[in-house]
């Protein structure tokens, strides 16, 4: 018996060492956790700091996807509406105020609003004898989660999660070379956003000497100022500004679209947060949850994730959704399925917050559930496929012929964070894995950074899983 135990311990130690030698591909100080499980037998293949809580970044979206599938259901759609009373329509006039009810639809576009207003006009309304209320009752609280980096809030991947969303609360533009000394700014003239620029074009040497970069200052009412410097480019430098004041942005769009479709408003466009009980005169529905999750997981769409997160809180507690009740709703929904997230810390649905904390072991609980129930959930089909689509199409951590289309995984990246969670198909069967890299700082030496990097580590880690299944 003693010999058997010694032999088992010796083999286990060798096995663990074979995996730990992969850490030589990471810079010193990198915080690493991973867990690999045989999907069929549920046996742990290898585990390293699997109970340690780490910053999850966008792999957090897997939790949101599962909770939404379970609680909201496949047929869920966001429904935006114009509300009022049909009794108040007479001789081309609407006597009173109308409400445009926003519900946090992350796919609602300006053209959708125009179509809704045209349908309103077809009901015989050419004049609104009152105000046009933009209703935001669906969500309340902060439009960004606690723990988001303040200097990211001006760009589109952190567009505010508000009940009022139009065009993803994002405005695109670019910086051109201008006169060669000062960059020229272009923003489409139809966009109700005021942006000024004083960006200097300098050489690489001048940029380094002055310690300057492209900077943005945010002001009230969707006003921004670009400043700092940039080096010359062969083409325009693309810009993507987050709409920090969703109400004013939507209000200006609606004023413009009312004129465009020929509806006269005698009152004002105002914000309202009252609970609405009036009739739905016009409705617009988003795509179904399945298609929303496909976009969210393949492309790591933060706005879809946080809108669904708040919607979970709203539906579960029958109140306005926010980050707090969304977090509690998610945990309770998963707990009812036997997934106890223990001492994890959940702040949002996207993973943008630095306050989120999850472990490899907790993520594996979620991944196991998804795998076991995938015939009904169909979530794995929305994961990016290595070398084929989504965030794994050009991901260097899976850029190897041995991994192409054998790995499906959700990525999670932010400054100092590079995580992967998913499934590897091997000759022996499917393997489930979670690998969390935190506190990652790349080496500056070009000759070493190719070999010692997160990409090299992830490739070798995943290749080892594939080869393990071929033994």
């Amino acid at each position: 018996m003693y010999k058997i135990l010694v032999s088992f311990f010796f083999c286990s130690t060798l096995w663990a060492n074979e995996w730990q030698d992969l850490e030589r591909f990471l810079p010193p100080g990198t915080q690493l956790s991973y867990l690999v499980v045989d999907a069929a037998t549920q046996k742990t293949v290898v585990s390293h700091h699997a109970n340690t809580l780490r910053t999850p970044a966008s792999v957090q979206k897997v939790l949101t996807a599962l909770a939404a599938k379970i609680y909201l259901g496949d047929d869920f759609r966001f429904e935006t509406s114009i509300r009022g009373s049909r009794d108040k329509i007479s001789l081309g006039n609407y006597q009173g105020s109308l409400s445009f009810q926003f519900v946090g639809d992350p796919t609602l576009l300006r053209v959708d609003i125009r179509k809704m207003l045209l349908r309103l006009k077809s009901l015989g309304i050419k004049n609104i004898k009152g105000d046009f209320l933009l209703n935001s009752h669906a969500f309340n609280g902060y439009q960004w989660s606690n723990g988001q980096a303040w200097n990211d809030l001006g760009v589109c991947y952190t567009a505010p999660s508000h009940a009022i969303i139009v065009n993803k609360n994002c405005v695109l533009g670019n910086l051109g070379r201008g006169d060669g000394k000062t960059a020229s700014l272009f923003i489409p003239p139809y966009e109700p956003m005021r942006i000024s620029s004083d960006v200097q074009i300098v050489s690489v040497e001048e940029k380094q000497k002055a310690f300057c970069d492209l900077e943005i200052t945010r002001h009230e009412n969707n006003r921004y100022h670009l400043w700092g410097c940039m080096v010359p480019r062969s083409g325009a430098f693309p810009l993507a500004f987050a709409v920090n004041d969703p109400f004013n942005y939507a209000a200006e769009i609606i004023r413009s679209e009312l004129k465009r479709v020929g509806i006269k408003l005698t009152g004002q466009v105002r914000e309202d947060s009252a609970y609405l009980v009036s009739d739905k005169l016009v409705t617009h529905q988003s795509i179904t949850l399945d298609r929303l999750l496909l976009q969210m997981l393949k492309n790591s769409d933060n706005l879809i994730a946080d809108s669904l997160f708040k919607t979970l809180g709203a539906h579960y507690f029958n109140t306005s959704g926010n980050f707090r009740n969304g977090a509690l709703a998610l945990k309770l929904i998963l707990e009812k399925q036997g997934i106890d997230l223990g001492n994890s810390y959940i702040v949002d649905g996207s993973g943008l917050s630095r306050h989120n904390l999850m472990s490899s072991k907790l993520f594996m609980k979620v991944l196991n559930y998804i795998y076991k129930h995938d015939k009904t959930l169909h979530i794995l089909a929305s994961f990016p496929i290595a070398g084929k689509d989504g965030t794994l199409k050009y991901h260097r951590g899976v850029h190897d012929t041995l991994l192409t289309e054998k790995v499906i995984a959700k990525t999670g990246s932010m400054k100092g964070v590079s995580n992967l969670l998913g499934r590897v198909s091997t000759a022996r069967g499917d393997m489930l894995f979670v690998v969390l890299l935190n506190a990652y700082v790349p080496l500056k030496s070009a000759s070493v950074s190719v070999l010692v990097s997160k990409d090299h580590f992830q490739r070798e880690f995943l290749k080892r899983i594939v080869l393990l299944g071929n033994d």
Side-chain angles (χ1 to χ4, degrees):
M1 182 65 181
Y2 173 76
K3 290 182 178 181
I4 293 174
L5 288 173
V6 170
S7 176
F8 176 78
F9 175 78
F10 181 70
C11 290
S12 298
T13 302
L14 284 176
W15 184 253
N17 288 339
E18 284 182 10
W19 287 84
Q20 288 182 17
D21 71 354
L22 291 173
E23 294 183 41
R24 71 182 188 275
F25 298 125
L26 293 172
T30 303
Q31 297 170 0
L32 172 65
S33 301
Y34 54 79
L35 180 59
V36 180
V37 169
D38 187 308
T41 65
Q42 290 296 293
K43 290 184 178 179
T44 297
V45 175
V46 66
S47 174
H48 180 69
H49 293 308
N51 287 311
T52 302
L53 296 172
R54 307 280 190 205
T55 300
S58 283
V59 292
Q60 183 97 341
K61 292 182 176 75
V62 176
L63 306 182
T64 306
L66 178 56
K69 270 279 191 174
I70 291 169
Y71 199 76
L72 300 177
D74 289 340
D75 297 328
F76 169 80
R77 297 172 186 258
F78 288 96
E79 185 179 86
T80 306
S81 60
I82 301 176
R83 288 175 171 259
S85 174
R86 294 182 186 275
D87 296 338
K88 295 182 179 181
I89 304 173
S90 177
L91 301 174
N93 298 318
Y94 185 86
Q95 301 293 338
S97 296
L98 283 170
S99 293
F100 196 107
Q101 184 179 31
F102 287 91
V103 293
D105 180 356
T107 65
L108 186 72
L109 303 176
R110 180 172 186 153
V111 68
D112 297 322
I113 291 176
R114 184 182 308 149
K115 289 176 181 178
M116 291 178 71
L117 294 175
L118 284 169
R119 286 165 59 196
L120 183 70
K121 186 178 179 181
S122 72
L123 297 177
I125 299 175
K126 295 181 181 179
N127 299 286
I128 301 172
K129 302 290 187 178
D131 293 331
F132 203 86
L133 307 176
L134 306 193
N135 185 273
S136 58
H137 175 79
F139 296 163
N140 63 20
Y142 294 132
Q143 58 189 21
W144 292 289
S145 59
N146 290 331
Q148 283 191 232
W150 67 267
N151 55 325
D152 288 340
L153 302 184
V155 292
C156 281
Y157 69 84
T158 61
S161 176
H162 195 281
I164 300 175
I165 299 174
V166 184
N167 294 341
K168 295 183 175 292
N169 282 347
C170 173
V171 171
L172 303 179
N174 64 65
L175 279 175
R177 297 190 64 172
D179 60 7
K181 295 181 178 180
T182 304
S184 58
L185 173 68
F186 172 77
I187 301 294
Y190 55 80
E191 287 288 9
M193 185 175 275
R194 296 158 187 83
I195 304 173
S196 57
S197 174
D198 182 26
V199 177
Q200 304 302 305
I201 297 177
V202 298
S203 66
V204 173
E205 293 76 17
E206 289 172 324
K207 183 174 183 288
Q208 291 174 343
K209 186 177 180 179
F211 298 99
C212 72
D213 208 339
L214 184 61
E215 311 284 2
I216 182 171
T217 301
R218 298 178 294 122
H219 300 288
E220 293 180 343
N221 301 320
N222 294 319
R223 292 182 298 113
Y224 297 80
H225 180 66
L226 285 171
W227 54 285
C229 69
M230 60 181 287
V231 297
R233 294 169 55 96
S234 57
F237 183 80
L239 301 170
F241 297 95
V243 173
N244 284 181
D245 187 339
F247 165 71
N248 277 316
Y249 181 70
E252 291 200 43
I253 286 176
I254 284 177
R255 288 189 195 100
S256 175
E257 292 300 330
L258 283 168
K259 290 179 182 178
R260 181 169 183 162
V261 302
I263 297 177
K264 185 178 180 181
L265 176 66
T266 60
Q268 303 296 316
V269 178
R270 296 192 294 108
E271 189 171 9
D272 176 51
S273 60
Y275 177 74
L276 296 178
V277 294
S278 51
D279 299 334
K280 293 179 183 179
L281 302 178
V282 176
T283 61
H284 168 81
Q285 291 190 328
S286 72
I287 55 179
T288 60
L289 181 65
D290 271 348
R291 293 172 63 191
L292 287 167
L293 294 184
L294 186 69
Q295 290 184 27
M296 183 185 86
L297 294 174
K298 289 284 189 186
N299 303 320
S300 204
D301 192 301
N302 295 318
L303 191 59
I304 293 176
D306 283 334
S307 281
L308 287 173
F309 188 77
K310 287 185 173 182
T311 300
L312 285 170
H315 285 226
Y316 195 92
F317 294 107
N318 194 29
T319 187
S320 299
N322 55 48
F323 285 112
R324 288 188 179 88
N325 59 30
L328 182 55
L330 184 146
K331 280 197 168 188
L332 293 174
I333 290 164
L334 297 187
E335 190 176 289
K336 287 182 180 179
Q337 306 304 314
I339 305 170
D340 183 358
L341 294 182
N343 66 328
S344 63
Y345 195 68
I346 308 297
V347 177
D348 60 24
S350 62
L352 282 170
S353 172
R354 291 277 179 174
H355 290 183
N356 290 309
L357 289 171
M358 281 282 291
S359 68
S360 298
K361 188 173 183 179
L362 292 175
F363 269 124
M364 186 58 74
K365 287 183 181 182
V366 175
L367 187 56
N368 263 319
Y369 184 93
I370 290 172
Y371 185 86
K372 288 179 183 178
H373 299 87
D374 199 52
K375 288 184 178 179
T376 54
L377 291 172
H378 306 295
I379 291 177
L380 291 178
S382 296
F383 277 27
I385 303 171
K388 184 177 180 181
D389 63 20
T391 54
L392 286 188
K393 187 171 184 178
Y394 302 111
H395 195 291
R396 293 180 181 179
V398 296
H399 191 247
D400 191 287
T401 54
L402 192 64
L403 304 176
T404 300
E405 297 192 24
K406 290 182 181 177
V407 177
I408 64 167
K410 181 69 198 79
T411 55
S413 303
M414 57 173 59
K415 186 73 172 179
V417 177
S418 184
N419 303 328
L420 286 171
L421 170 160
R423 184 196 72 198
V424 179
S425 297
T426 75
R428 201 172 76 185
D430 291 338
M431 299 287 177
L432 305 180
F433 73 92
V434 180
V435 56
L436 305 179
L437 279 177
N438 282 200
Y440 174 80
V441 180
L443 298 177
K444 293 183 178 180
S445 171
S447 60
V448 179
S449 62
V450 175
L451 296 175
V452 181
S453 69
K454 59 182 175 59
D455 299 323
H456 193 187
F457 168 81
Q458 288 168 346
R459 279 196 304 273
E460 295 304 317
F461 179 85
L462 293 170
K463 283 164 65 177
R464 188 157 294 186
I465 297 176
V466 173
L467 295 173
L468 170 71
N470 292 338
D471 291 342

